[in-house]
């Protein structure tokens, strides 16, 4: 089946062959077949494609963008922590310790309950234009429960990340190094067949820089992609260590230093900013302008989790990034699509060129600027792919 979508008011391709890296076309058309983009061009040139198409659709001048790539989520959890959020809004600081609360609720849930929760969150995301979701484990923290989360998450997405090193579970308090041994050894062995990447929360109250290095190295030995939660609550040498170890992305980066920026530029690692967390933890927003101007590749993701960022909306993150972090609407959209695909190492996602995956979102808006200009409004009209 070949579909030709015509009369697109604005088509964001993220393909630099159309000018700059955003590759924005006006009065455009897009063709796809069996889930793959087969043609991109102007609507007038699309006339010659009509006879090839099984169906021809009319976008009536609306904007069309690549589906969002949400490259950092923790949606494999049960329970919620709204009271913790309310306490924070009254002045209590965010700390890593709340993860254990969700850990207990998640361990208590059945497989089917977890399936329903994860599936429900993915549906909520899709209705808001997200077509690719990375899911981390990290609310199990025993071999049995981390494997369970990885296995169930894998039923929903190809992008499952092992985050056994999310926090030290209560059973291991005072024995963090023993827990790191478990994560790098038996636990990693057990989850290996379900995951494509490994991650670690490197922060006071979670894992030290040296412990995090061991975890990343264990992942590299397995051929996994590596990511790190770093500079979320303060600065340390975590970003430099991670860059030296060859991470695909540094996530959070609220307290990234100039030395870190330099290291990031040299390495090409992605800096994934998570504005929903800074919103929900009342932290300062990182200055994305500073990173982009320095040449860092910036991605945006929701970080959907019950503690620091309970949102499934990439558009909400785009709106914050534009209003509070110095990004232009085009930069924010690029980061929420192509930036995420680079972080995940999936070049066929996040853009429209011949051969890209046909993950297509039609907005009820004339251009992508509306994503930030109309905050809190779900502008998604149709999702394909
Ligand atoms: O990315 N920083 C670590 N993990 C999550 C928070 C998880 C939680 O508080 O439950 C984050 O913010």
């Amino acid at each position: 089946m070949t579909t030709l979508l015509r009369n697109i008011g604005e088509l964001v391709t993220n393909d630099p062959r159309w000018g700059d890296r955003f590759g924005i076309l006006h009065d455009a058309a897009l063709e796809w077949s069996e889930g793959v983009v087969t043609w991109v061009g102007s609507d007038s040139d699309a006339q010659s494609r009509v006879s090839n198409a099984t169906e021809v659709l009319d976008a009536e001048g609306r904007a069309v963008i690549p589906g969002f790539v949400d490259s950092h989520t923790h949606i494999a959890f049960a329970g919620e922590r709204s009271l913790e959020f309310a306490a924070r809004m009254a002045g209590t600081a965010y700390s890593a310790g709340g993860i254990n609360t969700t850990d207990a609720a998640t361990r208590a849930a059945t497989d089917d309950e977890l399936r329903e929760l994860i599936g429900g969150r993915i549906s909520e995301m899709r209705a808001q234009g997200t077509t690719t979701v990375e899911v981390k484990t990290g609310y199990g923290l025993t071999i049995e429960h981390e494997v369970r989360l990885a296995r169930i998450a894998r039923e929903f997405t190809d992008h499952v990340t092992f985050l056994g090193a999310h926090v030290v579970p209560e059973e291991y308090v005072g024995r963090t190094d023993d827990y790191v041994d478990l994560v790098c050894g038996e636990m990693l062995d057990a989850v290996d067949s379900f995951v494509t990447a490994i991650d670690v929360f490197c922060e006071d109250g979670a894992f030290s820089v040296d412990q995090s290095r061991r975890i990343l190295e264990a992942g590299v030995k397995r051929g996994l992609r590596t990511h790190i939660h770093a500079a979320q609550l303060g600065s340390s040498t975590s970003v430099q260590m991670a860059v030296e170890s060859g991470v695909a992305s540094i996530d959070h980066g609220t307290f990234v230093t100039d030395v870190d920026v330099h290291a990031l530029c040299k390495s090409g690692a992605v800096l994934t900013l998570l504005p929903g967390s800074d919103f929900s933890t009342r932290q300062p927003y990182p200055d994305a302008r500073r990173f982009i101007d320095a040449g860092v590749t910036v991605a945006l993701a929701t970080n959907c989790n019950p503690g620091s960022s309970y949102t499934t909306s990439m558009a909400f993150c785009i709106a914050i990034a534009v209003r509070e972090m110095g990004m232009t609407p085009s930069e924010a959209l690029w980061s929420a699509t192509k930036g995420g695909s680079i972080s995940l190492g999936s070049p066929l996602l996040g853009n429209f060129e011949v051969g890209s995956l046909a993950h297509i979102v039609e907005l009820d808006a004339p251009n992508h600027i509306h994503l930030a200009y109309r905050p809190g409004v779900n502008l998604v009209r149709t999702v394909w792919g």
Side-chain angles (χ1 to χ4, degrees), residues 72 74 81 94 99 139 166 201 229 232 252 303 305 307-308:
H72 182 133
H74 302 255
R81 286 162 35 207
Y94 174 78
I99 294 168
Y139 291 117
H166 200 184
F201 183 16
H229 288 61
Q232 175 180 2
H252 281 286
N303 188 24
N305 76 79
S308 71

Side-chain angles (χ1 to χ4, degrees), residues 94 231-234 252 254-255 277-286:
Y94 174 78
Q232 175 180 2
L233 307 175
H252 281 286
T254 303
F255 293 94
S277 327
D278 302 308
F279 174 90
S280 287
T281 56
R282 273 243 169 94
Q283 292 215 122
Y285 291 107

Side-chain angles (χ1 to χ4, degrees), residues 261 264-266 268-269 289-298:
V261 171
L264 278 162
C265 286
K266 271 183 41 193
R289 183 81 270 126
R290 170 176 155 237
F291 308 139
I292 293 171
D293 289 348
V296 176
T297 302
V298 172

Side-chain angles (χ1 to χ4, degrees), residues 299-338:
L300 284 173
T302 62
N303 188 24
C304 180
N305 76 79
S308 71
S309 182
Y310 200 175
T311 180
T312 48
S313 169
M314 289 292 276
F316 171 67
C317 298
I318 286 174
I320 300 179
V322 170
R323 173 64 181 82
E324 303 287 344
M325 292 159 54
M327 295 177 93
T328 66
S330 309
E331 286 169 342
L333 176 56
W334 188 94
S335 293
T337 50
K338 199 67 219 162

Side-chain angles (χ1 to χ4, degrees), residues 349-363:
L349 295 171
N351 62 349
F352 294 136
E353 56 182 64
V354 172
S356 303
L357 293 182
H359 291 184
I360 301 161
V361 172
E362 179 189 30
L363 299 178

